[in-house]
Structures are given as C-alpha cells and as structure tokens.
Amino acid sequence: MTFSNQNGDHPPVDISNNESVVAYFSMEIAVLPSMPTYSGGLGVLAGDTLRSAADLGLSLVAVTLIHRKGYFRQHLDAAGFQTEENQPWQPEEVLTREEPRVTVMVENRSVVVRAWRFDLEGVTGHTIPIYFLDTDVEENDPRDRALTDHLYGGDGDYRLAQETILGIAGVRILNALEIAPAVYHMNEGHAALLTLPLLENQLNGRGLADATERDVDAVRQRCVFTTHTPVPAGHDRFSGEQAIRILGPDRAGVLERLGCYHDGLLNVTYIALRFSRFVNGVAMQHSKVSRQMFPDYTIDSITNGVHAITWTAPSMQALFDRSIPHWRTDNLYLRAAIDIPEVEIAAAHGEAKRVLFNTVANRTGNTFDPEIFTIGFGRRAATYKRADLLFHNPERLLSIAQEFGGLQIIYSGKAHPHDDPGKAIIRHVYEVAAKLNSDFLRIIYLENYAWELGAQLTSGVDLWLNNPQRPYEASGTSGMKAALNGVPSLSILDGWWIEGCIEGFTGWAIEDFDTEQEESASLYEKLEQKILPLYYAQPLQWQKVMRSSIALNGSFFNTNRMLRQYIRNAYYPEKAMAYSAATLESALAK
Ligand SMILES: *Cc1c(COP(=O)(O)O)cnc(C)c1O
C-alpha cells in the first residue's frame, strides 16, 4: 500500500508488502553525517542496517527519537581536557512532518508525540521510511517538550521517559500511520518498552494484571531482540520506585510479575529477552558471553557488518567500480578483489591517505609524511578500550619508531560527558604524546570523532589498532571499515576480530594475556617483528595483505550479508525454510 505524505514535497512512501513489514526500533540512528542523531557504534550500525535494507528492497520502517540538541560536539584544549557543546540542528530542513499525533503517559502526565519522516534511498531506488519521534509540541509541559532533545542526556528519569516515548509512542505512531508490522526488531534494550503496547493490544481491553503466559507468547511471536554489549553497566536498569512513578503502577506491576526485574531493579534487557522469540548477540564470541550473562535464554549470533558503499573511500570505490561488477548491490563479489593488481590497491589507498593528511594539516597545522607508517586509533574513550595501552612502555615505542625511521599515530574519540575516567584517558594520551613527539614519532589527537572523520581515518591510515580489555568488545565495527579500504588491523582477539583475523593475511592479533604488561609487550613485538618490517622492507607483500583484507573481510563483514542473515534467521525463519534465500528476498521486496 501507499502512504501519501501530508506536505506534498516528497514522493509517497511505498510499503508494497504490508503483511511483511519489519519495524526496526533504535534509540540512535546515523542517517546522514549532518544529522547529530547518533553517538557512536550503535547508531552507525543502525544506519548501516537501514541502508542495506533499502539496498535489498526490504519492507522495513524504522523508529527513533529526533534528538533536537544532538549528542555533543567535543572540544579538547591544549592539555586534552574535554568540554562538550550541544549540536542543535534543523529537522525541518531534511524531514517531512507527519500528520498523526499520539499520546503516552509519562509520570502521570499525558505527553503528545508526533513524528517526522526521512526516506532513505537504496542503490536500486527503493526507499524505507525512518520516523523520528518528537515531543516538542506546544500542548506539552515544558519538561516533556525537552524529552526528545538529548541523546543519552539527563538522568535515569530522563532515560526511562525517553524509552517510554520510543517504545510506547513508537508503536502507537505506526498504528496511526496504518502500518501493521509483522516483526518488531528491538535494536538494544532501549527499545524494549515497545512490548507493552503490543501486550495491551493483545489483551484487547482486559487489564494488564490479567496477562497470561499465552498473551506473552503471542507478543513473543512478533518480536526479535539484538543485545549489543557484554558490559553490565550498558544494560539500563531502573529502581522500582522510578518504574512505578514514570510508567505507572499497572505497567511496572506487570513487568515485575513477568520476571523483568533483576536484583530488585527493572532491567530493560530482561524485558526484551522475555518478549522475544529470537535473540542474538553481534559476534560469535559476544553471543557466548551473553549466554553466560543470561543463562535462561537462547541467544543466537549474527555478526555485525558495515555498509560497504558508505565506508569505502571514493578512490577505493572507483577501483571497485572498474574491477568488480555488481559489488554495490551484492558485497559478496568483493571476494574478487583478490585478483586486483597490488599496485592499484596501493594507489587507491595512497589517495585516501592523502585526503586524511590534508584533514590533519587543516585541523592541526601538522604535516604528516605519506611515506611514513601510520597507525589509527578511533573509538569512544571508555576505560575498557584502553586508548593508552600503546604507551604502556613509552621508551619501547620510541625506540621502535627510531629503528624503522618513523612512525605516525592518529587518535580520535569522545568520552561520554559523565565519564571522568574516560576523559582522563584522553588527557593521558595528550600528556605522553607531548613527551614523545620527535623527529621519528608523531602523535596527534583529532577532536570530535564523528562520521566523516571516522571514514577518513579508517581508510587513510596503514594499520587500524584496537586493544580493548577482553571480553568487553561486543563486536567493534571500525576495523571492518578499515578492511574494506585495504587497511589491516592489529587487534585483541575479541568481538569480530576472533572471526576476522587470519594472522599475516588480514592483519595480526595481540595475543591473549591477563595483564596489560604482557598484552602491550605482544603489541610491541607484533609491530617490531612483523608489521613494520613488512611495510618498510617488503612493500609488495604489504600490498598483498591490504588486498586480502578486502577480499576476505570486506566481502563478509558488511551489512548486506548481515541483513540477509537477519531476514533468514530472525525475521522470517519459516518463509526462509520454504523458499530459497533469493526467492525470499525478491518476495519481500515487492
Ligand atoms: C564506526 C564508528 C564507530 C564504531 O566503531 P567501533 O569499532 O565499534 O568502536 C563509532 N563512532 C563512529 C563515528 C564510527 O564511524
């Protein structure tokens, strides 16, 4: 069926096969670089998933919040001290306002919610609508008008209110738009409250206190859940008092009775687990860890990916266009990169490196040398990600740089505004960098890590470094972006790298040890014994590693493959049994 839009300035949205619509709910979605509606990996993954859904022609709609003041812009002073600034943006300029309004009770106040739409277009012209929920309407109490302003802002009350808007108002807005999803996908526990209106619909007028196991099961048949973090603090919990005050006693009561409280707290992950027929972690290892965290539940695994077109540098895209027909519509063809001449890979990468070094020069005034081996490290400055592991033994690092005639290192990453230990890590990187910077070793930290800088960094460096503390990296996706651009990784064996590391072919592993002392020693040893000798003394061999990163990892760790796995294993397992995957996908497309 077709939904015409109210303002008439966009073509109608085609949701041809209304019986098989998937509704994808995510607290953050990276839609465009100019829209500050995401904070990091989770939002980028959501955006990449939707871009692939559009490419594959899947019937899917997405729901998120509008985040009028964005996440935050990061400023770093000369000592690496982080300050934050709002990122207000103008939704009216890129989104279309939808007519329907719904209300939801928050803290015993009736809050009006409306939606704005963005049509995301795929490679073949299919579009999927993304609905941004907005409480900034005149009728609302000033407190409530601010509920959709700040992504991950405010306190626990603010977070629970936002999750109420996303889940409950989100389902109601889709109903008001006459969209009847067959599947609801909760992208992380933030979206778990969408199960409440589904349960209320199922009860059809009966009170929540009457909900039975059969009612729960009816909701379960329509829901799937992806959990994204093995860090316990990453699973939102709320006190019983908060839950009763914000959700109301009926909703809080049914969640408690149905087993969604843990250690006396309402835990959104348990809501999502309890109400989903399919649950997955985002890498094989992450699912294993998740099963240990939640032993009462079956947890499958679908390893993350990245949207290949979005994260491949223009020079590398041009090379793929010349050498690999159809790589844009079917990323599996990237396996054929194994036949591209090494010199062409090197030339495309050289161009990406030049683009990055231009940015470095413009932002910092530093001139980086394109002949010198360059390491990239870009990710959220959380303590478990250990941005300063490379500085465990600064003298050793300096001597390696001298031995090989030069080393350049580019850091970037934001700390969450409330994460003081994370902020301290940034200052530590600044402090050590100031001491070590010399003719042989250049270290810089670029402020405000975000989409475009992330794309330039992952494509323009020579090696992507990742050294989190095991087992806290659920997947990691920036190394996948690097692989698509022929940039090998040096990483701890955690998350996706357990699956992606073929030693000496797609990159190198920092070996498993129990102490930072030993792990950093392994890091230095790989650099000194394997990586730098290859880069400086055997350029052709180095280029072969670049090429096999693309062929082996670029062809697999992408959202094109990932979404096909969601379609087959999570969204439509029964249809997938009946049809071949190809038939299924074309059936879903139109
Ligand atoms: C890809 C990306 C991330 C996620 O990278 P990880 O490897 O999961 O840390 C975070 N932020 C930005 C801006 C990105 O582009």
Side-chain angles (χ1 to χ4, degrees):
M1 72 180 285
T2 293
F3 297 97
S4 61
N5 98 71
Q6 278 68 26
N7 297 356
D9 52 2
H10 282 260
V13 184
D14 182 18
I15 304 172
S16 322
N17 190 344
N18 207 17
E19 276 92 82
S20 51
V21 175
V22 175
Y24 182 90
F25 280 62
S26 183
M27 185 58 88
E28 50 170 313
I29 303 178
V31 181
L32 293 175
S34 57
M35 292 166 63
T37 52
Y38 69 97
S39 83
L42 184 70
V44 170
L45 179 83
D48 283 358
T49 301
L50 302 184
R51 283 180 272 281
S52 281
D55 292 346
L56 284 173
L58 185 66
S59 293
L60 184 144
V61 302
V63 180
T64 187
L65 303 189
I66 198 161
H67 305 303
R68 286 177 172 276
K69 306 240 163 102
Y71 185 52
F72 70 89
R73 178 176 300 283
Q74 176 197 50
H75 290 291
L76 295 170
D77 73 8
F81 186 85
Q82 173 179 304
T83 48
E84 301 95 21
E85 195 189 340
N86 285 338
Q87 305 166 285
W89 62 294
Q90 272 66 51
E92 304 73 18
E93 288 175 7
V94 276
L95 307 181
T96 303
R97 189 154 91 207
E98 294 286 354
E99 214 52 49
R101 291 165 170 235
V102 299
T103 60
V104 58
M105 294 304 284
V106 177
E107 213 168 12
N108 219 17
R109 297 187 302 275
S110 177
V111 179
V112 177
V113 183
R114 66 177 166 180
W116 300 74
R117 193 188 79 235
F118 184 92
D119 294 324
L120 187 69
E121 188 174 334
V123 274
T124 59
H126 178 84
T127 61
I128 58 165
I130 304 174
Y131 295 100
F132 292 84
L133 305 179
D134 182 14
T135 59
D136 185 20
V137 299
E138 260 176 36
E139 302 93 295
N140 285 337
D141 183 289
R143 273 175 293 181
D144 297 328
R145 291 187 73 160
L147 283 179
T148 50
D149 276 352
H150 297 279
L151 173 61
Y152 306 138
D155 55 10
D157 282 8
Y158 189 78
R159 178 72 69 93
L160 184 53
Q162 286 194 325
E163 294 185 8
T164 305
I165 307 288
L166 177 67
I168 301 180
V171 168
R172 292 192 176 150
I173 281 276
L174 294 183
N175 287 347
L177 290 162
E178 296 180 48
I179 298 168
V183 180
Y184 290 83
H185 186 171
M186 292 171 255
N187 187 47
E188 190 49 301
H190 312 132
L193 293 176
L194 70 81
T195 57
L196 281 172
L198 297 185
L199 183 62
E200 285 160 3
N201 291 349
Q202 168 67 22
L203 290 166
N204 198 14
R206 284 182 289 142
L208 281 169
D210 292 339
T212 64
E213 215 40 57
R214 272 185 64 184
D215 298 316
V216 174
D217 201 53
V219 175
R220 286 182 73 244
Q221 293 315 313
R222 303 167 68 191
C223 293
V224 306
F225 169 47
T226 304
T227 177
H228 285 271
T229 176
V231 181
H235 298 258
D236 286 345
R237 286 162 299 181
F238 304 98
S239 74
E241 179 279 323
Q242 253 176 337
I244 291 171
R245 180 164 42 83
I246 293 169
L247 296 174
D250 292 352
R251 287 177 174 155
V254 74
L255 292 175
E256 181 165 20
R257 180 166 64 81
L258 293 176
C260 306
Y261 278 56
H262 210 77
D263 299 329
L265 300 172
L266 173 62
N267 184 318
V268 296
T269 302
Y270 281 93
I271 306 177
L273 288 167
R274 185 78 165 86
F275 283 94
S276 296
R277 66 166 158 77
F278 177 94
V279 179
N280 72 290
V282 291
M284 302 304 269
Q285 168 71 5
H286 172 232
S287 302
K288 207 156 141 191
V289 174
S290 300
R291 286 192 285 271
Q292 285 157 10
M293 292 172 79
F294 308 107
D296 296 337
Y297 294 90
T298 304
I299 300 178
D300 282 274
S301 184
I302 297 178
T303 301
N304 278 344
V306 295
H307 188 253
I309 301 169
T310 300
W311 297 105
T312 302
S315 54
M316 200 60 82
Q317 288 192 26
L319 174 57
F320 295 166
D321 285 340
R322 289 198 301 277
S323 327
I324 310 177
H326 310 305
W327 75 276
R328 288 172 184 268
T329 44
D330 184 349
N331 297 165
L332 264 177
Y333 286 115
L334 287 170
R335 185 66 175 73
I338 208 70
D339 288 326
I340 297 176
E342 294 87 346
V343 49
E344 294 189 32
I345 305 266
H349 175 258
E351 176 59 19
K353 195 169 183 180
R354 199 188 59 74
V355 170
L356 171 64
F357 288 4
N358 257 342
T359 298
V360 168
N362 290 340
R363 282 189 174 211
T364 69
N366 281 286
T367 308
F368 268 41
D369 182 344
E371 300 297 318
I372 300 288
F373 186 74
T374 305
I375 298 176
F377 186 102
R379 52 187 39 84
R380 186 158 53 87
T383 44
Y384 78 88
K385 302 215 184 209
R386 304 193 299 191
D388 51 1
L389 190 72
L390 194 54
F391 298 155
H392 194 87
N393 184 345
E395 294 73 31
R396 178 93 198 268
L397 183 65
L398 192 57
S399 86
I400 292 172
Q402 281 168 345
E403 183 186 344
F404 289 93
L407 182 58
Q408 299 169 148
I409 308 171
I410 306 177
Y411 280 95
S412 196
K414 297 174 177 177
H416 186 278
H418 299 157
D419 182 5
D420 290 329
K423 292 182 180 182
I425 289 193
I426 300 178
R427 291 198 300 277
H428 187 223
V429 172
Y430 265 71
E431 202 180 296
V432 179
K435 285 197 198 118
L436 293 182
N437 266 322
S438 57
D439 288 347
F440 292 107
L441 184 54
R442 317 284 307 276
I443 304 167
I444 56 165
Y445 202 111
L446 297 177
E447 69 180 7
N448 206 39
Y449 187 54
W451 182 323
E452 281 161 323
L453 180 59
Q456 288 188 6
L457 263 183
T458 49
S459 60
V461 298
D462 297 303
L463 181 76
W464 194 247
L465 177 66
N466 187 29
N467 48 37
Q469 191 182 342
R470 285 172 294 118
Y472 293 135
E473 182 92 324
S475 164
T477 54
S478 52
M480 301 174 183
K481 299 168 191 167
L484 273 165
N485 288 285
V487 174
S489 285
L490 169 61
S491 172
I492 292 278
L493 284 167
D494 199 10
W496 83 284
W497 192 236
I498 296 174
E499 298 161 56
C501 179
I502 305 171
E503 185 80 7
F505 287 87
T506 59
W508 298 268
I510 299 166
E511 277 155 31
D512 288 359
F513 288 105
D514 294 329
T515 64
E516 288 196 5
Q517 164 73 30
E518 293 165 297
E519 288 190 333
S520 62
S522 171
L523 196 174
Y524 295 131
E525 194 185 303
K526 286 286 163 83
L527 279 176
E528 187 172 41
Q529 306 296 327
K530 307 276 190 221
I531 299 170
L532 286 160
L534 197 68
Y535 179 85
Y536 280 117
Q538 298 181 273
L540 184 66
Q541 291 309 313
W542 180 266
Q543 290 158 11
K544 286 184 193 294
V545 173
M546 296 177 69
R547 185 172 66 179
S548 51
S549 300
I550 301 168
L552 300 179
N553 283 350
S555 64
F556 183 83
F557 295 98
N558 56 68
T559 42
N560 185 286
R561 180 271 314 159
M562 182 196 83
L563 194 63
R564 286 167 198 253
Q565 289 198 293
Y566 276 100
I567 294 170
R568 281 198 294 271
N569 304 326
Y571 299 159
Y572 302 114
E574 279 147 30
K575 290 189 198 176
M577 296 284 275
Y579 305 104
S580 75
T583 318
L584 170 71
E585 276 152 24
S586 62
L588 294 171
K590 277 277 171 270

